[in-house]
Amino acid sequence: MIIWALLDGKKGHYVQLSALIDAMTCTLDAEVSWFPKNKIPDIRNYAKPDLIICAGHGTHLKALIFRAIFGGRVAVLMKPSLPLTWFDFCITPEHDRLTGRDNVLSTVGPINSLSPDCKDKELPDVVFLGGYSKRFYWDEFKINLYIENIVSISERELWVVGSRRTPASTLKMLNETKKTLQVPMRVFSANDLPSDWVSTKLPKLEKIWVTQDSANMIYEGLTVKACVGLIPLKPRGKGKLSSSLNELIKEKWVRCATLDGEPLSCSTLSPPSLKEANRAAAWLISKL
Protein backbone atom coordinates (compact mmCIF):
# COMPACT_ATOMS: atom_id res chain seq x y z
CA MET A 1 0.00 0.00 0.00
CA ILE A 2 1.21 3.48 -0.88
CA ILE A 3 0.55 5.99 1.91
CA TRP A 4 1.08 9.75 1.72
CA ALA A 5 1.18 11.70 5.00
CA LEU A 6 0.62 15.48 4.93
CA LEU A 7 2.20 17.65 7.63
CA ASP A 8 1.34 21.17 8.79
CA GLY A 9 4.48 21.79 10.85
CA LYS A 10 2.88 21.20 14.26
CA LYS A 11 4.60 18.61 16.44
CA GLY A 12 1.38 17.33 17.99
CA HIS A 13 -0.11 16.55 14.59
CA TYR A 14 3.09 14.79 13.51
CA VAL A 15 2.95 12.66 16.67
CA GLN A 16 -0.59 11.55 15.85
CA LEU A 17 0.19 10.80 12.21
CA SER A 18 3.32 8.82 13.02
CA ALA A 19 1.51 6.87 15.76
CA LEU A 20 -1.22 5.81 13.34
CA ILE A 21 1.17 4.97 10.51
CA ASP A 22 3.54 3.04 12.80
CA ALA A 23 0.62 0.96 14.06
CA MET A 24 -0.61 0.34 10.50
CA THR A 25 2.79 -0.74 9.20
CA CYS A 26 3.09 -3.35 11.96
CA THR A 27 0.51 -5.43 10.10
CA LEU A 28 0.54 -3.89 6.63
CA ASP A 29 3.20 -3.83 3.92
CA ALA A 30 3.31 -0.14 3.09
CA GLU A 31 5.49 2.51 1.49
CA VAL A 32 5.11 5.83 3.29
CA SER A 33 5.99 9.28 1.91
CA TRP A 34 5.91 12.38 4.12
CA PHE A 35 5.05 15.78 2.65
CA PRO A 36 6.01 18.84 4.71
CA LYS A 37 3.98 22.01 4.71
CA ASN A 38 3.81 23.69 1.26
CA LYS A 39 5.52 20.78 -0.54
CA ILE A 40 3.83 19.71 -3.80
CA PRO A 41 4.90 16.24 -4.96
CA ASP A 42 6.42 15.64 -8.36
CA ILE A 43 4.42 12.63 -9.45
CA ARG A 44 7.41 11.35 -11.43
CA ASN A 45 9.19 10.68 -8.13
CA TYR A 46 6.33 9.03 -6.23
CA ALA A 47 3.97 6.12 -6.73
CA LYS A 48 0.35 7.26 -6.72
CA PRO A 49 -1.23 6.96 -3.26
CA ASP A 50 -3.75 4.41 -2.10
CA LEU A 51 -4.28 6.43 1.07
CA ILE A 52 -3.65 10.08 1.97
CA ILE A 53 -3.58 10.82 5.72
CA CYS A 54 -3.64 14.38 7.04
CA ALA A 55 -3.78 16.18 10.39
CA GLY A 56 -4.33 19.88 11.01
CA HIS A 57 -6.79 22.25 9.32
CA GLY A 58 -4.08 23.54 7.00
CA THR A 59 -3.76 20.11 5.38
CA HIS A 60 -7.43 19.35 4.69
CA LEU A 61 -7.91 21.15 1.39
CA LYS A 62 -4.48 20.04 0.22
CA ALA A 63 -5.40 16.39 0.87
CA LEU A 64 -8.60 16.75 -1.15
CA ILE A 65 -6.73 18.37 -4.04
CA PHE A 66 -4.13 15.59 -3.97
CA ARG A 67 -6.92 12.99 -4.12
CA ALA A 68 -8.49 14.75 -7.11
CA ILE A 69 -5.15 14.85 -8.95
CA PHE A 70 -3.43 11.64 -7.88
CA GLY A 71 -6.27 9.37 -6.70
CA GLY A 72 -6.52 7.33 -3.51
CA ARG A 73 -8.68 7.92 -0.46
CA VAL A 74 -8.34 10.49 2.31
CA ALA A 75 -8.25 9.87 6.06
CA VAL A 76 -8.31 12.94 8.33
CA LEU A 77 -7.29 13.02 11.99
CA MET A 78 -9.48 15.23 14.20
CA LYS A 79 -12.71 16.95 13.20
CA PRO A 80 -12.24 18.53 9.76
CA SER A 81 -12.90 22.19 9.03
CA LEU A 82 -14.55 21.21 5.73
CA PRO A 83 -17.71 19.06 5.35
CA LEU A 84 -17.17 15.58 6.77
CA THR A 85 -18.73 13.96 3.70
CA TRP A 86 -15.81 15.23 1.59
CA PHE A 87 -13.45 12.84 3.38
CA ASP A 88 -13.39 9.06 3.11
CA PHE A 89 -12.44 8.42 6.74
CA CYS A 90 -12.22 10.47 9.94
CA ILE A 91 -10.48 9.48 13.18
CA THR A 92 -11.38 11.95 15.89
CA PRO A 93 -11.32 12.23 19.71
CA GLU A 94 -14.67 11.37 21.23
CA HIS A 95 -15.10 14.90 22.65
CA ASP A 96 -15.73 16.03 19.05
CA ARG A 97 -18.96 13.99 19.26
CA LEU A 98 -18.98 12.74 15.68
CA THR A 99 -20.83 9.49 16.34
CA GLY A 100 -23.20 7.34 14.34
CA ARG A 101 -21.29 7.65 11.05
CA ASP A 102 -19.84 4.65 9.24
CA ASN A 103 -16.74 6.56 8.11
CA VAL A 104 -15.89 7.94 11.58
CA LEU A 105 -13.97 6.34 14.43
CA SER A 106 -14.09 8.08 17.82
CA THR A 107 -11.00 7.53 19.97
CA VAL A 108 -10.44 8.08 23.68
CA GLY A 109 -8.42 11.27 23.32
CA PRO A 110 -5.89 12.04 20.58
CA ILE A 111 -3.91 8.96 19.51
CA ASN A 112 -0.24 8.59 20.40
CA SER A 113 2.57 6.06 19.95
CA LEU A 114 3.44 5.58 23.63
CA SER A 115 3.13 2.36 25.62
CA PRO A 116 3.60 1.51 29.32
CA ASP A 117 7.03 0.70 30.74
CA CYS A 118 8.37 -0.38 34.12
CA LYS A 119 8.03 2.52 36.55
CA ASP A 120 11.29 4.02 37.82
CA LYS A 121 11.00 4.98 41.49
CA GLU A 122 14.18 7.05 41.18
CA LEU A 123 12.46 9.51 38.82
CA PRO A 124 10.69 12.57 40.28
CA ASP A 125 7.01 13.38 40.16
CA VAL A 126 6.49 15.75 37.23
CA VAL A 127 4.15 18.67 36.55
CA PHE A 128 3.64 19.35 32.84
CA LEU A 129 2.58 22.91 32.05
CA GLY A 130 0.66 24.09 29.02
CA GLY A 131 0.02 27.78 28.50
CA TYR A 132 -2.20 30.25 26.71
CA SER A 133 -4.95 28.50 24.73
CA LYS A 134 -8.27 29.28 23.07
CA ARG A 135 -10.17 26.91 25.39
CA PHE A 136 -8.89 27.85 28.88
CA TYR A 137 -7.79 30.93 30.81
CA TRP A 138 -4.19 30.78 32.03
CA ASP A 139 -4.08 31.92 35.69
CA GLU A 140 -0.44 31.60 36.71
CA PHE A 141 -1.09 32.81 40.25
CA LYS A 142 -3.58 30.01 40.92
CA ILE A 143 -1.39 27.47 39.11
CA ASN A 144 1.45 28.49 41.44
CA LEU A 145 -0.80 27.81 44.46
CA TYR A 146 -1.80 24.39 43.12
CA ILE A 147 1.85 23.46 42.61
CA GLU A 148 2.76 24.67 46.09
CA ASN A 149 0.18 22.26 47.51
CA ILE A 150 1.36 19.43 45.24
CA VAL A 151 4.89 19.94 46.55
CA SER A 152 3.65 19.89 50.15
CA ILE A 153 2.13 16.41 49.73
CA SER A 154 4.80 14.98 47.41
CA GLU A 155 6.97 12.17 48.74
CA ARG A 156 9.82 12.85 46.34
CA GLU A 157 11.42 15.63 44.33
CA LEU A 158 9.08 17.50 42.00
CA TRP A 159 10.00 18.68 38.53
CA VAL A 160 7.95 21.34 36.75
CA VAL A 161 8.36 21.13 32.96
CA GLY A 162 7.15 23.98 30.76
CA SER A 163 6.04 23.72 27.15
CA ARG A 164 6.50 26.11 24.25
CA ARG A 165 3.20 27.72 25.24
CA THR A 166 4.21 28.35 28.85
CA PRO A 167 4.71 32.09 29.57
CA ALA A 168 8.14 33.08 30.81
CA SER A 169 6.44 34.94 33.68
CA THR A 170 4.95 31.64 34.94
CA LEU A 171 8.36 29.96 35.05
CA LYS A 172 9.87 33.00 36.74
CA MET A 173 7.16 32.94 39.42
CA LEU A 174 7.71 29.22 40.06
CA ASN A 175 11.46 29.74 40.33
CA GLU A 176 10.82 32.32 43.04
CA THR A 177 8.36 30.00 44.79
CA LYS A 178 10.79 27.07 44.94
CA LYS A 179 13.16 29.15 47.10
CA THR A 180 10.57 29.08 49.90
CA LEU A 181 9.79 25.35 49.75
CA GLN A 182 11.16 22.64 52.01
CA VAL A 183 10.69 19.85 49.44
CA PRO A 184 13.06 20.05 46.43
CA MET A 185 11.51 21.41 43.24
CA ARG A 186 13.17 22.07 39.89
CA VAL A 187 11.73 24.19 37.08
CA PHE A 188 12.53 23.62 33.39
CA SER A 189 11.55 25.49 30.24
CA ALA A 190 10.75 23.65 27.01
CA ASN A 191 14.35 24.14 25.85
CA ASP A 192 16.06 22.91 29.02
CA LEU A 193 15.50 19.19 28.39
CA PRO A 194 16.32 16.98 25.39
CA SER A 195 13.66 16.92 22.67
CA ASP A 196 12.97 13.22 23.32
CA TRP A 197 12.80 13.57 27.12
CA VAL A 198 9.01 13.28 27.33
CA SER A 199 8.72 10.29 24.99
CA THR A 200 11.51 8.38 26.76
CA LYS A 201 10.78 9.31 30.39
CA LEU A 202 6.98 9.59 30.49
CA PRO A 203 6.38 5.80 30.26
CA LYS A 204 8.61 5.35 33.35
CA LEU A 205 6.95 8.01 35.52
CA GLU A 206 4.67 6.91 38.34
CA LYS A 207 2.87 10.20 39.03
CA ILE A 208 2.32 13.20 36.81
CA TRP A 209 0.29 16.41 36.99
CA VAL A 210 -0.92 18.20 33.87
CA THR A 211 -2.60 21.58 33.42
CA GLN A 212 -6.08 21.07 32.03
CA ASP A 213 -5.35 22.71 28.67
CA SER A 214 -2.85 19.99 27.67
CA ALA A 215 -5.23 17.26 26.47
CA ASN A 216 -2.57 15.36 24.52
CA MET A 217 -0.35 15.03 27.59
CA ILE A 218 -3.28 13.92 29.76
CA TYR A 219 -4.12 11.05 27.41
CA GLU A 220 -0.46 10.18 26.91
CA GLY A 221 -0.19 9.83 30.69
CA LEU A 222 -3.21 7.52 30.73
CA THR A 223 -1.77 5.48 27.87
CA VAL A 224 1.47 4.78 29.77
CA LYS A 225 -0.50 3.96 32.95
CA ALA A 226 0.83 6.83 35.05
CA CYS A 227 -1.23 8.19 37.93
CA VAL A 228 -2.52 11.36 36.21
CA GLY A 229 -3.61 14.47 38.08
CA LEU A 230 -5.24 17.54 36.52
CA ILE A 231 -4.42 21.11 37.51
CA PRO A 232 -7.73 22.92 36.94
CA LEU A 233 -8.07 25.91 34.65
CA LYS A 234 -11.14 28.06 34.06
CA PRO A 235 -12.70 27.18 30.68
CA ARG A 236 -13.54 29.85 28.11
CA GLY A 237 -17.21 28.96 27.83
CA LYS A 238 -18.80 25.50 27.84
CA GLY A 239 -16.43 23.68 25.53
CA LYS A 240 -16.65 19.99 24.65
CA LEU A 241 -13.05 19.39 25.71
CA SER A 242 -13.66 20.83 29.17
CA SER A 243 -16.74 18.62 29.57
CA SER A 244 -14.84 15.50 28.50
CA LEU A 245 -12.03 16.20 30.98
CA ASN A 246 -14.58 16.63 33.76
CA GLU A 247 -15.87 13.18 32.81
CA LEU A 248 -12.38 11.76 33.36
CA ILE A 249 -12.49 13.10 36.92
CA LYS A 250 -16.02 11.79 37.47
CA GLU A 251 -15.08 8.33 36.22
CA LYS A 252 -11.92 8.34 38.39
CA TRP A 253 -9.57 7.97 35.46
CA VAL A 254 -7.64 10.98 36.78
CA ARG A 255 -7.51 12.96 40.01
CA CYS A 256 -7.74 16.71 40.50
CA ALA A 257 -5.30 19.01 42.31
CA THR A 258 -6.57 20.98 45.30
CA LEU A 259 -5.57 24.26 46.88
CA ASP A 260 -5.45 22.68 50.34
CA GLY A 261 -5.53 19.15 51.65
CA GLU A 262 -4.79 16.02 49.68
CA PRO A 263 -6.32 14.96 46.35
CA LEU A 264 -7.57 11.43 45.72
CA SER A 265 -4.89 8.81 46.18
CA CYS A 266 -3.62 6.98 43.11
CA SER A 267 -4.96 3.70 44.49
CA THR A 268 -8.54 4.98 44.17
CA LEU A 269 -8.24 5.61 40.43
CA SER A 270 -9.41 3.07 37.84
CA PRO A 271 -8.32 4.24 34.37
CA PRO A 272 -8.78 1.96 31.34
CA SER A 273 -6.03 0.37 29.29
CA LEU A 274 -5.63 2.62 26.25
CA LYS A 275 -4.23 1.36 22.93
CA GLU A 276 -5.96 3.84 20.67
CA ALA A 277 -3.31 3.96 17.92
CA ASN A 278 -3.60 0.20 17.44
CA ARG A 279 -7.39 0.36 17.49
CA ALA A 280 -7.45 3.19 14.95
CA ALA A 281 -5.00 1.37 12.67
CA ALA A 282 -7.04 -1.85 12.75
CA TRP A 283 -10.25 0.08 11.99
CA LEU A 284 -8.71 1.98 9.08
CA ILE A 285 -7.14 -1.14 7.56
CA SER A 286 -10.51 -2.94 7.77
CA LYS A 287 -12.13 -0.05 5.89
CA LEU A 288 -9.51 -0.20 3.11
Side-chain angles (χ1 to χ4, degrees), residues 134-137 234-240 242-243:
K134 62 183 179 181
R135 292 188 175 94
F136 295 92
Y137 292 100
K234 182 180 178 181
R236 296 179 185 269
K238 296 181 179 180
K240 289 180 276 188
S242 176
S243 298

Side-chain angles (χ1 to χ4, degrees), residues 7-284:
L7 302 171
D8 67 351
K10 294 184 178 179
K11 183 179 179 181
H13 294 158
Y14 168 74
V15 167
Q16 293 179 53
L17 282 171
S18 61
L20 176 62
I21 290 172
D22 286 348
M24 291 180 70
T25 54
C26 283
T27 57
L28 188 70
D29 185 17
E31 177 184 316
V32 182
S33 296
W34 294 84
F35 296 95
K37 185 178 180 181
N38 300 325
K39 181 175 180 179
I40 304 298
D42 184 340
I43 194 61
R44 294 171 296 180
N45 300 326
Y46 298 93
K48 290 186 178 181
D50 300 301
L51 178 67
I52 301 167
I53 308 178
C54 62
H57 294 313
T59 64
H60 295 173
L61 182 59
K62 182 177 179 180
L64 296 175
I65 293 172
F66 278 13
R67 182 182 63 185
I69 298 173
F70 305 117
R73 289 188 279 181
V74 173
V76 59
L77 303 188
M78 299 179 297
K79 184 179 179 180
S81 52
L82 299 170
L84 187 62
T85 54
W86 292 9
F87 299 86
D88 298 286
F89 313 107
C90 180
I91 299 172
T92 177
E94 58 188 10
H95 64 250
D96 283 337
R97 299 175 186 172
L98 296 178
T99 57
R101 296 171 172 86
D102 186 59
N103 69 327
V104 174
L105 175 71
S106 292
T107 60
V108 181
I111 61 177
N112 62 76
S113 59
L114 298 176
S115 57
D117 199 350
C118 295
K119 303 307 178 187
D120 187 344
K121 295 185 182 299
E122 298 300 317
L123 290 174
D125 294 344
V126 179
V127 175
F128 292 100
L129 299 177
Y132 295 131
S133 76
K134 62 183 179 181
R135 292 188 175 94
F136 295 92
Y137 292 100
W138 185 257
D139 186 341
E140 60 188 22
F141 296 98
K142 186 171 283 189
I143 290 168
N144 187 68
L145 293 175
Y146 278 120
I147 293 176
E148 279 191 85
N149 194 54
I150 290 170
V151 171
S152 72
I153 63 172
S154 182
E155 299 173 349
R156 64 184 76 176
E157 184 179 26
L158 185 75
W159 286 17
V160 181
V161 179
S163 68
R164 288 176 174 78
R165 292 189 293 113
T166 306
S169 58
T170 302
L171 299 178
K172 182 179 179 181
M173 179 180 295
L174 289 167
N175 273 311
E176 290 299 317
T177 296
K178 76 177 184 180
K179 298 175 183 178
T180 68
L181 302 175
Q182 295 182 349
V183 177
M185 183 176 86
R186 301 177 67 184
V187 180
F188 299 89
S189 72
N191 298 321
D192 290 335
L193 298 172
S195 59
D196 64 346
W197 190 88
V198 172
S199 61
T200 57
K201 296 300 184 185
L202 181 59
K204 300 177 184 295
L205 296 177
E206 285 190 320
K207 300 175 184 178
I208 68 170
W209 296 90
V210 187
T211 52
Q212 200 172 355
D213 59 308
S214 301
N216 283 11
M217 184 61 70
I218 292 167
Y219 286 101
E220 286 175 359
L222 288 171
T223 300
V224 301
K225 296 186 179 300
C227 174
V228 179
L230 299 191
I231 296 177
L233 298 175
K234 182 180 178 181
R236 296 179 185 269
K238 296 181 179 180
K240 289 180 276 188
L241 176 59
S242 176
S243 298
S244 69
L245 295 179
N246 288 335
E247 282 296 313
L248 299 186
I249 298 171
K250 181 179 178 182
E251 296 295 327
K252 292 189 176 180
W253 289 14
V254 302
R255 55 183 180 164
C256 192
T258 63
L259 292 177
D260 54 64
E262 294 197 18
L264 290 175
S265 67
C266 292
S267 62
T268 63
L269 301 181
S270 54
S273 179
L274 297 183
K275 298 179 180 179
E276 295 302 89
N278 292 341
R279 188 166 73 91
W283 175 82
L284 187 52

